[in-house]
């Protein structure tokens, strides 16, 4: 009887948990969150970065599902934890998570689209100064950096793949590719104001080094004068 009671309790817990989660363990509340997307974007993939998150819009054509994953250094691919999912039909009608099925495995998130043609938007988390972004559709891409960020200096910024165009519009840096054939785009960016801080630190270090070198030379000169005055110098 005790084993039966425990088994019944386990089933109840599983059923209750299933009521709080969507397909494949994705939270229904998370999927149903609200967001505003750039449906008028011209690129096949448009990703708008902000501090700690990003909003993505992908244009699909004759495609019933999208697979979203990001590569990791040790564990292979990792699923993207999506939220605020929306789909826009070619006629402009936008539907939310009630019309979109989302499954998640250990290595990827699978989005089953309500139509084969249209646009899919979602929100996900990202690093504050580095982002690895999935590219589930092929073709043109645009990544918009957060305000005040840049990638222009090689030591501080890095973008992969290369071959992109960089422009500055409305106070933000835009990166554009005519064609992305890989599975992801990686962007390492920095605050432009940090360059002034780094420059100030380098300048102070140079000034401190110069002052130290001058002090050492002055002490050596004084020591030589002392030895000469004391008659300690010999040929």
């Amino acid at each position: 009887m005790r084993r039966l009671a425990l088994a019944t309790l386990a089933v109840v817990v599983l059923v209750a948990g299933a009521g709080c989660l969507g397909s494949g363990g994705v939270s229904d509340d998370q999927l149903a969150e609200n967001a505003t997307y750039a449906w008028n974007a011209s690129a096949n993939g448009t990703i708008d970065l902000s501090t700690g998150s990003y909003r993505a819009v992908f244009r699909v054509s004759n495609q019933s599902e999208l697979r979203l994953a990001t590569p990791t250094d040790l564990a292979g691919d990792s699923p993207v934890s999506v939220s605020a999912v929306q789909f826009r039909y070619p006629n402009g009608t936008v539907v939310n998570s009630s019309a979109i099925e989302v499954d998640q495995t250990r290595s990827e998130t699978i989005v089953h689209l309500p139509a084969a043609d249209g646009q899919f938007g979602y929100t996900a988390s990202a690093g504050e100064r580095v982002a690895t972004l999935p590219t589930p559709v092929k073709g043109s891409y645009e990544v918009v950096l957060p305000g005040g960020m840049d990638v222009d200096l090689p030591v501080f910024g890095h973008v992969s793949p290369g071959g992109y165009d960089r422009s500055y519009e409305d106070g933000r840096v835009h990166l554009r590719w005519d064609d992305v054939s890989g599975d992801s785009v990686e962007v390492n960016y920095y605050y432009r104001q940090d360059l002034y801080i780094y420059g100030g630190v380098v300048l102070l270090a140079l000034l401190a080094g110069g002052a130290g070198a001058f002090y050492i030379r002055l002490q050596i000169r004084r020591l030589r004068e002392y030895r000469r005055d004391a008659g300690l110098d010999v040929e």
Side-chain angles (χ1 to χ4, degrees):
M1 291 296 294
R2 183 178 179 182
R3 291 182 178 179
L4 178 60
L6 291 175
T8 303
L9 179 60
V11 171
V12 170
V13 171
L14 289 174
V15 171
C20 299
L21 298 177
S23 302
V26 183
S27 167
D28 286 337
D29 291 339
Q30 179 178 325
L31 296 176
E33 291 177 3
N34 191 31
T36 302
Y37 296 107
W39 302 118
N40 60 343
S42 59
N44 289 352
T46 302
I47 301 173
D48 188 336
L49 284 164
S50 59
T51 303
S53 66
Y54 69 89
R55 288 174 294 174
V57 173
F58 298 118
R59 190 181 306 276
V60 296
S61 177
N62 194 27
Q63 195 168 346
S64 60
E65 66 180 26
L66 290 178
R67 295 177 178 266
L68 306 172
T70 54
T72 62
D73 294 333
L74 299 178
D77 289 344
S78 175
V80 177
S81 182
V82 300
S83 63
V85 296
Q86 297 179 22
F87 184 85
R88 183 177 185 268
Y89 289 91
N91 64 4
T93 301
V94 177
V95 295
N96 59 18
S97 60
S98 61
I100 304 169
E101 182 181 351
V102 179
D103 295 323
Q104 192 174 88
T105 69
R106 292 184 178 181
S107 60
E108 63 183 358
T109 296
I110 306 171
V111 180
H112 304 278
L113 304 173
D117 296 283
Q119 293 170 282
F120 171 70
Y122 74 89
T123 300
S125 60
E128 292 189 0
R129 302 199 184 192
V130 58
T132 301
L133 309 166
T135 54
V137 299
K138 306 308 178 186
S140 59
Y141 271 82
E142 179 178 6
V143 174
V144 185
L145 301 186
M149 297 288 193
D150 210 336
V151 294
D152 209 22
L153 290 182
V155 176
F156 302 99
H158 173 72
V159 179
S160 178
Y164 59 91
D165 293 324
R166 174 187 171 277
S167 62
Y168 190 71
E169 305 171 20
D170 300 326
R172 301 177 67 182
V173 171
H174 292 240
L175 309 175
R176 294 183 176 90
W177 292 260
D178 291 333
D179 183 42
V180 173
S181 57
D183 295 327
S184 64
V185 168
E186 182 177 342
V187 184
N188 293 7
Y189 44 93
Y190 57 87
Y191 281 107
R192 284 193 296 272
Q193 64 184 16
D194 286 352
L195 297 182
Y196 298 104
I197 298 175
Y198 296 143
V201 170
V202 172
L203 180 60
L204 288 176
L206 291 175
L207 291 175
F214 176 78
Y215 176 78
I216 292 174
R217 292 182 61 184
L218 180 61
Q219 293 300 105
I220 293 174
R221 180 181 300 176
R222 289 177 177 176
L223 179 59
R224 287 176 177 173
E225 292 175 353
Y226 171 79
R227 289 174 60 85
R228 185 182 65 246
D229 294 342
L232 299 177
D233 287 337
V234 295
E235 296 296 334

